[in-house]
Amino acid sequence: MTTKDANGRDFRKGRSVALALLTSVVFAPISFAESPAVAPRAAIPGGTFESVLPPAPGVKAVTVAPFELDRTPVTNGQFAQFVRENPKWRRDRVARLFADERYLQHWRTPTEPDDTVERQPVTHVSWFAATAYCEARGARLPRWYEWEFAAAASETRADARKDDAWRQQILDWYSKSARGRLPDVGQTPPNFYGVRDLHGVVWEWVEDVGAMMVSGDNREQGDPDVKRFCGTGALSMEQKENYALLMRVAMLSSMQARYTSNTMGFRCAVDGAARKTSRVSAE
Amino acid sequence: MKYTVAILAALTMFTIAVPAAEPRTWPADSAYQLEATLTDQDGRAQSLDVYAGHSVLVTMFYSRCPATCPLIVETLRAIEQATPAAQRTQLRVLMISIDPEHDTVAALSALAKTRRIDTSRWTLARADAADVRKIAAILNIQYRLLPNGEYNHSNVITLVSPSGEIVRQSSVIGRVDQDLLAALGP
């Protein structure tokens, strides 16, 4: 009997328990609890595209190398597991340097969220905490261009950014109140790559959040300035019809690495297979 | 006697081992809480608190930077010169590269030689990309790799207290920031 859970992962409850019992004799340390039928990360082939943040004046194309991206944002339940394994990230022990006062404030205890939010995306996490979580899982945060590349896909197309109906759908979410209860992860349909919840659920940290405010014009070397961003647009953001993405950029740009917010979550990424190999050989 | 020595040795090991195993406790906002691995211009592994106990001027740079890098070094030197002698001997400088790909130990060592940097009081350091991002986040420094291989980054000199707290940040480059100098004062 095969059913699907919220992530769209097949899970065969009775069978996997029996299998786990059987296999645990042989492979005791291996946990089958985390072995879904569908890999937790989707492979994104990468490619060249035009970002809302051009890398430099006159340069439009951005090339993204192959990578793998979590299919859903990290949940409170998953983050609680990490916090229990790494107590220095408990809200009552974390250094203020790495997370502000509201870090994980919505949890019942320093190590346990309420059951009702177990499968909701974790929010109230700082960039430092999100980075530590991904590192503990052998991963990293996705970079902005990677995130944007994956988020350009609709359910049926790799790049749906010129599709008015799709764009409107995303805008509708941004216009909703942020005060409502967050949905559980995995409720939105998978996009072209099998990634869910990139739009419509939470904002998400990116690895290079500290680069988003910086001008791509090297004549302005050493002078990245918030005022220019707010005024004329330091990043000379293009494709101004992509309001939804620009709001995301503005949101990320306003966050310092220790800040937390009730709408900012994250997911993790790893380099694609080809890139991993070339890294190893370079070192 | 033999036992006494053994016990003494055991006690000594214990007293030494305990503080080493426990991480040092820093103030809640001390940058030295970040566990980052630096490698200095001589290839030695250092931590961010390499100059703990001293006031430190910390800046992030990259050595291929055509214009501002020499200017940053000269600005740091000028601040050092302008500091009263009593504080100057206690002052340290830590320059951390944002460009781990090009700023190898050899590159840092070469820079120390060309800029005639006194490495008994200054450290030029590199870190891996993940640690660079964390250090930059703590110092609130933004940087971005441009398609032409150069970096755009905030030129900020940060005065860090002996226990790792950020005392003052200055984006004045090319002359001595008097406010920064005042913060360094007695």
Side-chain angles (χ1 to χ4, degrees):
Chain A
M1 181 59 197
T2 301
T3 49
K4 295 223 175 203
D5 72 358
N7 267 328
R9 305 186 304 208
D10 290 330
F11 75 105
R12 307 163 179 87
K13 216 172 187 179
R15 217 166 89 191
S16 66
V17 169
L19 197 71
L21 280 173
L22 193 74
T23 344
S24 62
V25 182
V26 190
F27 301 113
I30 299 173
S31 160
F32 275 76
E34 292 291 316
S35 87
V38 175
R41 293 195 182 108
I44 316 284
T48 299
F49 79 119
E50 282 184 25
S51 166
V52 291
L53 305 181
V59 182
K60 286 187 183 265
V62 172
T63 301
V64 171
F67 68 106
E68 294 174 20
L69 186 63
D70 283 357
R71 290 178 190 272
T72 50
V74 173
T75 63
N76 283 299
Q78 289 169 328
F79 200 79
Q81 176 71 26
F82 161 76
V83 167
R84 287 190 290 267
E85 289 163 6
N86 301 274
K88 70 171 183 177
W89 289 102
R90 289 164 54 127
R91 69 179 180 208
D92 56 345
R93 299 195 192 164
V94 72
R96 276 291 153 260
L97 184 73
F98 301 130
D100 66 21
E101 300 73 15
R102 291 165 306 159
Y103 172 66
L104 297 180
Q105 66 162 24
H106 61 308
W107 283 13
R108 191 160 52 84
T109 74
T111 56
E112 292 161 291
D114 287 313
D115 291 347
T116 53
V117 302
E118 189 83 9
R119 291 198 55 80
Q120 285 178 17
V122 66
T123 56
H124 287 296
V125 283
S126 65
W127 178 88
F128 286 111
T131 300
Y133 175 95
C134 292
E135 284 179 355
R137 299 286 180 263
R140 56 172 173 80
L141 289 171
R143 296 162 190 138
W144 168 258
Y145 287 144
E146 292 174 335
W147 194 97
E148 188 185 352
F149 186 92
S154 66
E155 288 165 58
T156 52
R157 290 154 71 177
D159 188 349
R161 292 178 298 172
K162 292 204 159 53
D163 179 340
D164 287 338
W166 180 76
R167 226 161 41 203
Q168 190 56 48
Q169 200 184 321
I170 291 169
L171 278 174
D172 288 346
W173 172 65
Y174 286 91
S175 62
K176 273 194 296 191
S177 165
R179 283 194 198 89
R181 183 184 186 274
L182 284 175
D184 285 357
V185 301
Q187 304 294 302
T188 63
N191 78 2
F192 181 78
Y193 304 111
V195 179
R196 297 167 185 263
D197 303 338
L198 286 165
H199 301 284
V201 183
V202 283
W203 311 105
E204 296 182 24
W205 283 112
V206 292
E207 183 189 66
D208 50 349
V209 66
M212 301 184 68
M213 296 290 296
V214 185
S215 168
D217 188 342
N218 60 1
R219 288 168 299 182
E220 296 168 7
Q221 182 125 14
D223 188 28
D225 187 341
V226 179
K227 287 194 288 286
R228 281 182 295 118
F229 172 79
C230 296
T232 57
L235 283 159
S236 48
M237 292 194 291
E238 294 186 7
Q239 304 174 31
K240 299 212 166 43
E241 70 274 20
N242 281 329
Y243 295 116
L245 274 178
L246 300 184
M247 282 170 67
R248 196 170 275 270
V249 170
M251 179 67 185
L252 280 165
S253 301
S254 71
M255 298 286 285
Q256 285 188 19
R258 59 184 288 276
Y259 287 5
T260 71
S261 132
N262 61 343
T263 50
M264 182 69 87
F266 72 102
R267 69 180 78 212
C268 306
V270 292
D271 291 354
R275 199 145 150 225
K276 248 183 263 174
T277 317
S278 70
R279 272 232 175 134
V280 171
S281 60
E283 278 166 7
Chain B
M1 184 60 196
K2 217 196 236 170
Y3 287 114
T4 320
V5 172
I7 289 164
L8 272 177
L11 277 175
T12 318
M13 275 170 70
F14 186 72
T15 47
I16 292 168
V18 168
E22 281 296 306
R24 245 177 108 169
T25 45
W26 299 108
D29 51 353
S30 168
Y32 295 161
Q33 293 169 103
L34 181 71
E35 290 164 22
T37 306
L38 306 179
T39 307
D40 71 13
Q41 70 286 330
D42 299 320
R44 287 173 302 208
Q46 305 281 9
S47 53
L48 200 55
D49 61 1
V50 50
Y51 286 140
H54 294 269
S55 289
V56 197
L57 298 172
V58 182
T59 189
M60 296 189 86
F61 78 109
Y62 71 108
S63 63
R64 290 176 306 129
C65 166
T68 30
C69 177
L71 202 55
I72 288 174
V73 173
E74 290 318 310
T75 306
L76 288 164
R77 224 192 287 270
I79 296 169
E80 207 180 40
Q81 297 294 309
T83 308
Q87 283 110 46
R88 188 164 59 224
T89 53
Q90 287 306 307
L91 186 64
R92 297 291 180 270
V93 175
L94 176 59
M95 296 180 67
I96 303 168
S97 169
I98 52 172
D99 184 9
E101 196 185 335
H102 297 94
D103 282 337
T104 57
V105 169
L108 296 178
S109 174
L111 181 68
K113 284 201 184 71
T114 28
R115 309 302 316 168
R116 296 169 201 275
I117 285 168
D118 172 6
T119 53
S120 69
R121 289 176 307 110
W122 289 40
T123 290
L124 303 181
R126 68 183 304 283
D128 70 29
D131 278 349
V132 168
R133 268 188 298 276
K134 290 174 196 165
I135 296 166
I138 279 173
L139 298 174
N140 215 4
I141 288 171
Q142 303 187 332
Y143 66 99
R144 184 169 184 216
L145 177 61
L146 304 179
N148 65 3
E150 291 183 18
Y151 280 87
N152 224 358
H153 64 105
S154 16
N155 277 318
V156 174
I157 295 173
T158 304
L159 173 60
V160 175
S161 80
S163 49
E165 294 140 305
I166 294 172
V167 177
R168 192 174 184 94
Q169 295 197 291
S170 168
S171 49
V172 175
I173 301 293
R175 61 181 169 82
V176 175
D177 180 345
Q178 293 302 322
D179 293 332
L180 188 69
L181 196 62
L184 257 168

